[in-house]
């Protein structure tokens, strides 16, 4: 609905008459040395890869999807995730077939924003159907507060014990990678990895669209 009433503009830079301009597409292109390993404050136990800084067109597109319902930007963001997954396969960090697990979102937040954007991006990233499938294996309990404005330690306390496995662990076959839109302190990713590993899943990496 929102798309119909908003004037047509690039979700990255606001340029008129296009939904996603070439300049912004270039900002999201995955280069040969990307994604980069980043070191969030909360220790992860597996390497964390980010496709870029949470800035510019990347930031604008993520915000547009999450806060303004710009579903048309799921595809370009999903394509960036796909590029990142390909690199991790090429480098041997992960081996096929992959199970891609979206980081959990608080349910009411996802509802308010028109569906869980990370899952939709993951589905777009794996839509070619080869080597990877998406399993929504994690959920967050309803007690979790919005993490905006919380420090790293407070975020870690906020999510501790709040990430739960959803569905049978048998679905988590092969190499598992956790994907998220933004990694900040890494608290949610770390708790997600811990829950997956405790359940016996072979999770080897975290891949984020952006690091802040
Ligand atoms: Zn643009």
């Amino acid at each position: 609905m929102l798309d119909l009433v908003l004037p047509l503009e690039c979700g990255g830079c606001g340029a008129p008459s296009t939904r996603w301009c070439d300049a912004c597409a270039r900002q999201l292109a995955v280069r040969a040395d990307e994604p980069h390993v980043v070191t969030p404050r909360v220790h992860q136990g597996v390497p964390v890869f980010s496709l870029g800084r949470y800035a510019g067109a990347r930031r604008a597109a993520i915000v547009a999807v999450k806060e303004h319902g710009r579903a048309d930007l799921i595809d370009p963001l999903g394509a960036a995730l796909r590029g990142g997954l390909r690199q991790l396969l090429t480098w041997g960090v992960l081996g096929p077939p992959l199970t891609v697990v979206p980081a959990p979102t608080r349910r009411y937040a996802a509802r308010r924003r028109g569906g869980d954007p990370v899952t939709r991006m993951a589905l777009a990233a794996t839509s070619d159907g080869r080597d990877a499938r998406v399993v929504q294996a994690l959920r967050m309990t309803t007690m979790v507060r919005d993490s905006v404005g919380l420090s790293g330690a407070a975020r870690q306390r906020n999510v501790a014990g709040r990430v739960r496995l959803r569905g049978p662990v048998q679905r988590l076959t092969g190499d598992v990678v956790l994907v998220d839109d933004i990694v900040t302190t890494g608290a949610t990713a770390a708790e997600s990895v811990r829950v997956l590993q405790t359940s016996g899943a072979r999770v080897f990496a975290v891949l984020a669209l952006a690091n802040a």
Side-chain angles (χ1 to χ4, degrees):
M1 270 312 283
L2 215 52
D3 287 350
L4 298 176
V5 295
L6 284 175
L8 183 63
E9 61 174 40
C10 173
C13 66
S17 310
T18 176
R19 294 187 171 280
W20 188 239
C21 77
D22 291 345
C24 289
R26 278 194 295 277
Q27 280 193 46
L28 244 64
V30 180
R31 290 164 188 81
D33 66 333
E34 291 170 341
H36 293 146
V37 174
V38 294
T39 313
R41 258 174 291 165
V42 178
H43 179 68
Q44 302 290 313
V46 298
V48 180
F49 296 87
S50 168
L51 286 159
R53 293 279 306 160
Y54 186 50
R58 184 181 304 276
R59 177 184 184 142
I62 291 171
V63 170
V65 168
K66 287 172 72 169
E67 308 298 336
H68 308 298
R70 282 286 301 261
D72 55 319
L73 300 175
I74 295 280
D75 274 346
L77 291 170
L81 266 188
R82 178 163 59 237
L85 290 172
R86 273 205 201 116
Q87 295 280 73
L88 297 184
L89 286 166
T90 302
W91 295 340
V93 174
L94 302 165
L98 283 186
T99 296
V100 178
V101 176
T105 316
R106 288 168 314 128
R107 210 172 306 160
Y108 83 81
R111 216 168 29 228
R112 195 181 54 196
R113 292 161 185 163
D116 170 17
V118 175
T119 298
R120 291 155 78 203
M121 289 171 202
L123 287 168
T126 57
S127 59
D128 56 2
R130 295 177 306 139
D131 297 341
R133 67 199 181 94
V134 176
V135 176
Q136 275 187 284
L138 299 173
R139 65 181 178 86
M140 264 204 207
T141 62
T142 49
M143 294 295 285
V144 181
R145 293 165 52 199
D146 205 325
S147 60
V148 174
L150 294 182
S151 71
R155 281 190 188 208
Q156 206 171 353
R157 280 196 302 275
N158 191 33
V159 298
R162 302 272 166 79
V163 175
R164 303 282 164 80
L165 201 64
R166 169 171 144 175
V169 68
Q170 289 79 4
R171 299 187 299 164
L172 300 171
T173 53
D175 286 7
V176 175
V177 55
L178 182 85
V179 297
D180 206 349
D181 48 3
I182 313 156
V183 167
T184 48
T185 64
T188 304
E191 184 68 1
S192 300
V193 166
R194 192 189 65 76
V195 168
L196 289 169
Q197 285 180 334
T198 304
S199 72
R202 301 176 340 121
V203 53
F204 290 130
V206 175
L207 175 63
L209 273 174
N211 62 291

